[in-house]
Amino acid sequence: DGKVGVVFADDEHGAAVVTRLSATGANSTADIKQGDVLIGVHGALVATTGQALEALRNAPAAFEAVFIRPSLLICRDCGRFATCKDCAEQGRHKWHAHECQLFQNLPSSSKRGETSPVRLLLRYRASADIGDWSTDKETIDEV
């Protein structure tokens, strides 16, 4: 159907970061993961999501795409949570989405300056709502 099966969003520098993958797109046989950054399409370097999308639109039916995989993945919504790629693959970002939504719903005055105490309380709330994020890490009660 001509679709690559990858959804991109800008990172803080405008680079094309993979945010979603389709199980049936052209990427389904590739080793592309959420958080990867597209840096090349059919031999051309791309620095922004706009350049990436333009290059993909103009690419032939068969083309090579070059991705890099950052070692630390930062939450795109709050920018205050990060995991290594192994933890991300274990679902830590999905778990974080619950506490992140709570954080995003706070008034803007609550999100200025140092927010660690607020985020710790939200993590406690998220753990009470959906359970601890891992069985092999410290529990929220131990924190």
Short mmCIF file of all heavy atoms in Angstrom, two decimals, residues 95-122:
data_model
loop_
_atom_site.label_atom_id
_atom_site.label_comp_id
_atom_site.label_asym_id
_atom_site.label_seq_id
_atom_site.Cartn_x
_atom_site.Cartn_y
_atom_site.Cartn_z
N TRP A 95 4.23 2.26 31.48
CA TRP A 95 3.83 2.45 32.87
C TRP A 95 3.89 3.93 33.22
O TRP A 95 2.98 4.47 33.84
CB TRP A 95 4.74 1.64 33.80
CG TRP A 95 4.29 1.67 35.22
CD1 TRP A 95 3.51 0.73 35.84
CD2 TRP A 95 4.57 2.67 36.20
NE1 TRP A 95 3.28 1.11 37.14
CE2 TRP A 95 3.92 2.30 37.38
CE3 TRP A 95 5.29 3.85 36.19
CZ2 TRP A 95 3.98 3.06 38.54
CZ3 TRP A 95 5.35 4.62 37.34
CH2 TRP A 95 4.70 4.22 38.50
N HIS A 96 4.95 4.59 32.80
CA HIS A 96 5.13 6.01 33.10
C HIS A 96 4.00 6.86 32.51
O HIS A 96 3.65 7.91 33.06
CB HIS A 96 6.47 6.51 32.56
CG HIS A 96 6.57 7.99 32.53
ND1 HIS A 96 6.70 8.75 33.68
CD2 HIS A 96 6.55 8.87 31.49
CE1 HIS A 96 6.74 10.03 33.34
NE2 HIS A 96 6.65 10.13 32.03
N ALA A 97 3.40 6.42 31.43
CA ALA A 97 2.35 7.20 30.78
C ALA A 97 1.23 7.55 31.76
O ALA A 97 0.63 8.63 31.67
CB ALA A 97 1.79 6.46 29.58
N HIS A 98 0.97 6.67 32.71
CA HIS A 98 -0.09 6.93 33.69
C HIS A 98 0.29 8.11 34.60
O HIS A 98 -0.46 9.06 34.74
CB HIS A 98 -0.37 5.68 34.52
CG HIS A 98 -1.53 5.83 35.43
ND1 HIS A 98 -2.83 5.78 34.98
CD2 HIS A 98 -1.61 6.05 36.76
CE1 HIS A 98 -3.65 5.96 36.00
NE2 HIS A 98 -2.93 6.12 37.10
N GLU A 99 1.50 8.06 35.19
CA GLU A 99 1.91 9.17 36.06
C GLU A 99 2.15 10.44 35.25
O GLU A 99 1.92 11.55 35.74
CB GLU A 99 3.14 8.81 36.89
CG GLU A 99 4.40 8.65 36.08
CD GLU A 99 5.62 8.33 36.96
OE1 GLU A 99 5.56 8.44 38.18
OE2 GLU A 99 6.65 7.97 36.37
N CYS A 100 2.58 10.29 34.02
CA CYS A 100 2.82 11.45 33.16
C CYS A 100 1.51 12.18 32.88
O CYS A 100 1.46 13.41 32.90
CB CYS A 100 3.48 11.00 31.86
SG CYS A 100 3.98 12.37 30.80
N GLN A 101 0.44 11.44 32.63
CA GLN A 101 -0.87 12.06 32.38
C GLN A 101 -1.31 12.84 33.61
O GLN A 101 -1.83 13.95 33.50
CB GLN A 101 -1.91 11.00 32.03
CG GLN A 101 -3.25 11.58 31.66
CD GLN A 101 -3.18 12.45 30.43
OE1 GLN A 101 -2.60 12.09 29.43
NE2 GLN A 101 -3.78 13.63 30.49
N LEU A 102 -1.09 12.27 34.80
CA LEU A 102 -1.41 12.99 36.03
C LEU A 102 -0.61 14.29 36.11
O LEU A 102 -1.15 15.34 36.46
CB LEU A 102 -1.13 12.11 37.25
CG LEU A 102 -1.98 10.86 37.41
CD1 LEU A 102 -1.43 9.99 38.53
CD2 LEU A 102 -3.43 11.22 37.66
N PHE A 103 0.68 14.22 35.77
CA PHE A 103 1.55 15.41 35.80
C PHE A 103 1.07 16.45 34.79
O PHE A 103 0.99 17.64 35.11
CB PHE A 103 2.99 14.99 35.52
CG PHE A 103 3.99 16.12 35.57
CD1 PHE A 103 4.43 16.60 36.79
CD2 PHE A 103 4.47 16.69 34.41
CE1 PHE A 103 5.35 17.65 36.86
CE2 PHE A 103 5.39 17.72 34.46
CZ PHE A 103 5.82 18.21 35.69
N GLN A 104 0.76 16.01 33.58
CA GLN A 104 0.32 16.94 32.54
C GLN A 104 -0.97 17.65 32.90
O GLN A 104 -1.20 18.78 32.48
CB GLN A 104 0.15 16.21 31.20
CG GLN A 104 1.43 15.64 30.63
CD GLN A 104 2.49 16.69 30.41
OE1 GLN A 104 2.22 17.78 29.93
NE2 GLN A 104 3.72 16.37 30.77
N ASN A 105 -1.83 17.00 33.71
CA ASN A 105 -3.11 17.60 34.09
C ASN A 105 -3.00 18.60 35.24
O ASN A 105 -3.98 19.26 35.58
CB ASN A 105 -4.11 16.50 34.46
CG ASN A 105 -4.58 15.74 33.24
OD1 ASN A 105 -4.53 16.24 32.12
ND2 ASN A 105 -5.01 14.51 33.44
N LEU A 106 -1.82 18.71 35.84
CA LEU A 106 -1.63 19.68 36.92
C LEU A 106 -1.65 21.10 36.36
O LEU A 106 -1.31 21.33 35.20
CB LEU A 106 -0.28 19.44 37.61
CG LEU A 106 -0.14 18.17 38.42
CD1 LEU A 106 1.31 18.01 38.90
CD2 LEU A 106 -1.09 18.16 39.60
N PRO A 107 -1.99 22.08 37.19
CA PRO A 107 -1.90 23.47 36.74
C PRO A 107 -0.45 23.82 36.41
O PRO A 107 0.48 23.26 37.00
CB PRO A 107 -2.37 24.28 37.96
CG PRO A 107 -2.94 23.31 38.92
CD PRO A 107 -2.47 21.95 38.56
N SER A 108 -0.23 24.70 35.47
CA SER A 108 1.12 25.04 35.04
C SER A 108 1.98 25.55 36.19
O SER A 108 3.18 25.33 36.22
CB SER A 108 1.10 26.04 33.90
OG SER A 108 0.44 27.22 34.30
N SER A 109 1.37 26.20 37.17
CA SER A 109 2.14 26.69 38.32
C SER A 109 2.75 25.55 39.13
O SER A 109 3.78 25.74 39.77
CB SER A 109 1.26 27.56 39.22
OG SER A 109 0.17 26.80 39.72
N SER A 110 2.16 24.37 39.06
CA SER A 110 2.69 23.21 39.78
C SER A 110 3.84 22.54 39.04
O SER A 110 4.50 21.68 39.60
CB SER A 110 1.59 22.17 40.00
OG SER A 110 0.56 22.71 40.77
N LYS A 111 4.05 22.93 37.78
CA LYS A 111 5.08 22.28 36.96
C LYS A 111 6.30 23.17 36.75
O LYS A 111 7.17 22.84 35.97
CB LYS A 111 4.49 21.85 35.62
CG LYS A 111 3.39 20.81 35.77
CD LYS A 111 2.87 20.33 34.45
CE LYS A 111 1.79 21.25 33.95
NZ LYS A 111 1.10 20.76 32.76
N ARG A 112 6.36 24.30 37.45
CA ARG A 112 7.50 25.20 37.33
C ARG A 112 8.57 24.83 38.35
O ARG A 112 8.26 24.38 39.45
CB ARG A 112 7.07 26.64 37.57
CG ARG A 112 6.34 27.23 36.40
CD ARG A 112 6.15 28.74 36.57
NE ARG A 112 4.88 29.07 35.96
CZ ARG A 112 3.85 29.59 36.60
NH1 ARG A 112 3.94 29.90 37.86
NH2 ARG A 112 2.74 29.85 35.96
N GLY A 113 9.81 25.07 37.99
CA GLY A 113 10.91 24.85 38.93
C GLY A 113 11.11 23.37 39.25
O GLY A 113 10.87 22.50 38.42
N GLU A 114 11.54 23.11 40.44
CA GLU A 114 11.83 21.75 40.88
C GLU A 114 10.53 20.98 41.09
O GLU A 114 9.70 21.37 41.92
CB GLU A 114 12.64 21.77 42.19
CG GLU A 114 12.93 20.42 42.75
CD GLU A 114 13.64 19.50 41.78
OE1 GLU A 114 14.67 19.91 41.21
OE2 GLU A 114 13.16 18.37 41.58
N THR A 115 10.34 19.92 40.33
CA THR A 115 9.09 19.16 40.42
C THR A 115 9.28 17.76 40.97
O THR A 115 8.34 16.98 40.99
CB THR A 115 8.43 19.06 39.02
OG1 THR A 115 9.33 18.38 38.14
CG2 THR A 115 8.06 20.43 38.47
N SER A 116 10.48 17.43 41.44
CA SER A 116 10.73 16.07 41.93
C SER A 116 9.75 15.64 43.03
O SER A 116 9.23 14.53 42.97
CB SER A 116 12.16 15.93 42.43
OG SER A 116 13.06 16.08 41.37
N PRO A 117 9.48 16.49 44.04
CA PRO A 117 8.54 16.06 45.08
C PRO A 117 7.14 15.77 44.53
O PRO A 117 6.50 14.79 44.90
CB PRO A 117 8.52 17.23 46.07
CG PRO A 117 9.81 17.95 45.84
CD PRO A 117 10.10 17.79 44.39
N VAL A 118 6.68 16.63 43.63
CA VAL A 118 5.36 16.43 43.03
C VAL A 118 5.34 15.13 42.22
O VAL A 118 4.41 14.33 42.32
CB VAL A 118 4.98 17.64 42.14
CG1 VAL A 118 3.72 17.35 41.34
CG2 VAL A 118 4.84 18.89 42.97
N ARG A 119 6.38 14.92 41.43
CA ARG A 119 6.42 13.72 40.60
C ARG A 119 6.53 12.45 41.44
O ARG A 119 5.95 11.42 41.09
CB ARG A 119 7.56 13.81 39.58
CG ARG A 119 7.24 14.86 38.51
CD ARG A 119 8.29 14.99 37.42
NE ARG A 119 9.53 15.55 37.94
CZ ARG A 119 10.68 14.88 38.04
NH1 ARG A 119 10.76 13.64 37.65
NH2 ARG A 119 11.75 15.48 38.53
N LEU A 120 7.23 12.52 42.58
CA LEU A 120 7.30 11.36 43.48
C LEU A 120 5.92 11.03 44.02
O LEU A 120 5.52 9.86 44.08
CB LEU A 120 8.28 11.63 44.62
CG LEU A 120 8.44 10.47 45.60
CD1 LEU A 120 9.02 9.23 44.91
CD2 LEU A 120 9.33 10.88 46.75
N LEU A 121 5.16 12.06 44.40
CA LEU A 121 3.80 11.82 44.88
C LEU A 121 2.91 11.24 43.77
O LEU A 121 2.08 10.36 44.02
CB LEU A 121 3.19 13.11 45.42
CG LEU A 121 3.82 13.63 46.72
CD1 LEU A 121 3.31 15.02 47.03
CD2 LEU A 121 3.58 12.67 47.86
N LEU A 122 3.10 11.71 42.55
CA LEU A 122 2.32 11.17 41.42
C LEU A 122 2.72 9.73 41.13
O LEU A 122 1.86 8.91 40.77
CB LEU A 122 2.50 12.04 40.19
CG LEU A 122 1.91 13.45 40.29
CD1 LEU A 122 2.24 14.25 39.04
CD2 LEU A 122 0.40 13.39 40.52
#
